[in-house]
Amino acid sequence: MTGGGRPSVAARAAVVAAPGGALPVLRGEGPLALRRTRSADPAFAQVTLVGAMSAPLTGDRLELTVDVLAGAALRITSAAATLALPGRVPEPAEYRVTLRVADEATLDWAPEPLISAAGSALRQHTRVELAPTARLALREILVLGRDGEEPGRLASRLTVHRDGRPLLDQELRCGDWAPGWDGGAVLGGHRAVGQLLCVDPELAKAPAEPQRLGAGAVTVPLAGPATLTSAVAPDALELHRLLAAAGTGGSYSW
């Protein structure tokens, strides 16, 4: 099965958020369509990623860059899940996301899940650069295969630097790229995996304690003013619930 038979594409998108809810840059190409949407919190500008075509397919090259300027607050969501599909070419798709958050700025990154469909191949890398007084809430949810199917090949990496120093660098590989990925040492048969990373200078005053959130999730402090909640679940709905519990439990308050 192919993703509609279209040729592979290369597309870029960029967002720049300024104080007062301004968005001086909001542009996208191909499947990366960006729309300003109404935010429930007037302190935040909100941008929604709308899939203008099926993507990513194998062979696609996608790049999204987000800059939150000093004193600004931005929330980014998506209108629907991102579905990685097989395409015409065998080479893996690449999806690169760069998030830069300046001093006294806040970014809430909360797209809908990424679904790795059978036959797909995707390398995803999210890179985050935080100023010393920046705040971040980053939620990532991966669903491994649609109902009743095995997942494709997926490599998802997250690297975070704060004040020029490494805060977090981790990668998850699934499918035949990573023998044993479905075993007890990794996902234990679960088909949904995700995390919630919260970075807030206020956490330096009162570091969080490790906390277990049910059978499939745990919150731990990082070596910095940050917490990381990691979770596995049978499906995306249960994973959403676990990560929501982490957020309302005080990991972040904005």
Side-chain angles (χ1 to χ4, degrees), residues 99 101 107 109 128 130 134-138 160 197-200 254:
L99 310 175
V101 190
L107 174 62
W109 173 262
V128 185
L130 302 173
R135 299 195 300 176
L136 171 74
L138 182 148
V160 183
L197 171 66
C198 300
V199 183
D200 188 341
W254 61 91

Side-chain angles (χ1 to χ4, degrees), residues 1-253:
M1 176 180 177
T2 64
R6 67 159 174 81
S8 56
V9 300
R12 294 182 177 182
V15 182
V16 176
L23 296 172
V25 176
L26 184 64
R27 65 173 183 267
E29 301 172 345
L32 298 177
L34 301 171
R35 301 289 184 267
R36 179 166 191 153
T37 51
R38 181 175 297 178
S39 173
D41 186 341
F44 281 77
Q46 181 165 299
V47 172
T48 299
L49 181 62
V50 180
M53 64 175 70
S54 295
L57 276 60
T58 52
D60 286 353
R61 299 291 182 266
L62 309 179
E63 185 174 347
L64 172 62
T65 302
V66 177
D67 286 281
V68 188
L69 303 183
L74 175 66
R75 177 173 290 116
I76 294 190
T77 64
S78 60
T82 298
L83 181 61
L85 291 166
R88 288 184 177 182
V89 299
E91 289 80 8
E94 292 186 3
Y95 188 12
R96 297 183 178 275
V97 178
T98 301
L99 310 175
R100 293 186 285 256
V101 190
D103 275 314
E104 303 297 337
T106 302
L107 174 62
D108 187 352
W109 173 262
E112 293 302 307
L114 168 66
I115 302 172
S116 175
S120 66
L122 172 64
R123 291 191 176 103
Q124 175 178 267
H125 188 184
T126 300
R127 294 173 292 180
V128 185
E129 300 172 12
L130 302 173
T133 57
R135 299 195 300 176
L136 171 74
L138 182 148
R139 186 188 71 193
E140 179 183 69
I141 295 176
L142 308 174
V143 178
L144 308 174
R146 293 171 292 189
D147 187 37
E149 74 174 10
E150 289 299 307
R153 294 177 292 166
L154 175 64
S156 181
R157 184 179 179 186
L158 172 63
T159 57
V160 183
H161 285 74
R162 178 178 179 270
D163 194 18
R165 298 179 178 180
L167 178 66
L168 179 67
D169 190 343
Q170 64 179 28
E171 182 177 61
L172 175 66
R173 287 178 174 250
C174 302
D176 61 15
W177 277 344
W181 67 272
D182 198 24
V186 187
L187 297 184
H190 293 92
R191 284 295 184 265
V193 57
Q195 57 194 353
L196 174 64
L197 171 66
C198 300
V199 183
D200 188 341
E202 293 297 315
L203 289 171
K205 302 175 183 178
E209 295 292 331
Q211 182 180 7
R212 186 175 179 181
L213 304 171
V218 63
T219 298
V220 296
L222 299 182
T227 62
L228 178 66
T229 299
S230 301
V232 294
D235 53 47
L237 183 62
E238 175 64 12
L239 195 66
H240 267 287
R241 187 189 68 78
L242 290 170
L243 296 182
T248 57
S251 297
Y252 66 101
S253 58

